[in-house]
Amino acid sequence: MNSELVLLESDGPLRTIRLNAPERRNALDLDLLGQLATAIATVKADAEARALIVAGAGTAFCAGANLESMFGDVTRPVHELREHLKKVYASFLGLRELTIPTLAAVQGAAVGAGLNIALACDIVIAGPRAAFGPTFAEIGLHPGGGCSFMLTERMGAAHATAALLSGDIIKAEDAVRLGLANLSAEDPESKAKELATRYARRSKELNAHIKRSVRIAARSDLETSLDFESWAQASSVGSEEFGRYLEDFLKN
């Protein structure tokens, strides 16, 4: 993808979406968000894509939003601002709709809406200088962009409430301890590529069904979860991958 503010890079079955405004620490405005939405849609339509890495150019992952660009005329009625904001949210929450594994490589600041972009990925990898900032309350703003939901999903209600009320920056070590990040790595993008390559070796259907299975389990009861799992596992029995494994197993 030929883009100034967002780059879409291809490496075999791997795709990387790179926020590319390092001079402003990849801060979001409507132009960047529009290009991000286009990049996500391109990956969604790409039959050859097997895994996606989201990264930032320069020292920051994404330092948040340009508030003037993000909110526009703040004197508008609440219902108009609400509809505008829902469109803004949709520009990056499309990451959650992808059926391929998604990994955020966070090498620096991921603040406000930038934090949301990382949280929208399946796996968050924190570099030693990663800094996660649910800082909305510190500027008198209610969390938005799915932050309340995604933090609660990762950290649980108690930790999410504490993080959002304090608005403090969460360093890499604490992010992993609290469950905000999955793991830490000296070079988060290299680690993301290592994991993405591993995931990409599997069938797209298996990865997609695993993601769907976890979401069902998180929001429903055991019976509903078992209903999907039994179908998905039965479907995977006929896969080439399992067939090869079973053949080798029976030989031994």
Side-chain angles (χ1 to χ4, degrees), residues 13-166:
L14 307 186
R15 302 293 178 266
T16 299
I17 288 177
R18 193 177 307 280
L19 307 182
N20 189 42
E23 72 287 350
R24 66 187 201 216
R25 303 176 73 214
N26 302 315
L28 306 171
D29 60 16
L30 294 184
D31 288 339
L32 192 154
L33 286 169
Q35 292 181 26
L36 177 58
T38 298
I40 294 169
T42 300
V43 173
K44 186 176 183 178
D46 185 351
E48 302 304 314
R50 295 296 184 97
L52 171 68
I53 298 166
V54 181
T59 60
F61 179 78
C62 177
N66 177 314
L67 298 179
E68 183 180 5
S69 177
M70 182 72 72
F71 290 100
D73 180 6
V74 297
T75 66
R76 285 179 288 176
V78 168
H79 72 275
E80 289 186 15
L81 274 168
R82 182 191 189 197
E83 291 308 308
H84 166 73
L85 288 171
K86 287 169 76 173
K87 291 176 182 177
V88 170
Y89 302 164
S91 63
F92 56 82
L93 288 178
L95 288 166
R96 288 180 62 90
E97 299 172 8
L98 297 178
T99 58
I100 60 174
T102 56
L103 305 92
V106 181
Q107 84 285 22
V111 177
L115 170 63
N116 291 342
I117 292 173
L119 293 176
C121 295
D122 299 316
I123 307 292
V124 176
I125 304 169
R129 289 168 292 283
F132 300 90
T135 55
F136 299 93
E138 280 293 278
I139 61 171
L141 193 64
H142 190 281
C147 192
S148 304
F149 180 91
M150 292 186 290
L151 275 183
T152 301
E153 187 177 53
R154 287 180 171 272
M155 301 167 65
H159 286 311
T161 301
L164 290 170
L165 287 176
S166 73

Side-chain angles (χ1 to χ4, degrees), residues 47 49-51 99-101 197-211 232 235-242 244:
R50 295 296 184 97
T99 58
I100 60 174
T197 300
R198 179 181 176 188
Y199 303 155
R201 294 191 189 109
R202 304 187 185 126
S203 75
K204 292 184 73 171
E205 291 76 13
L206 179 60
N207 286 332
H209 291 162
I210 288 172
K211 289 180 59 163
S235 298
S236 69
V237 166
S239 69
E240 291 183 13
E241 295 92 333
F242 184 70
R244 288 194 298 268

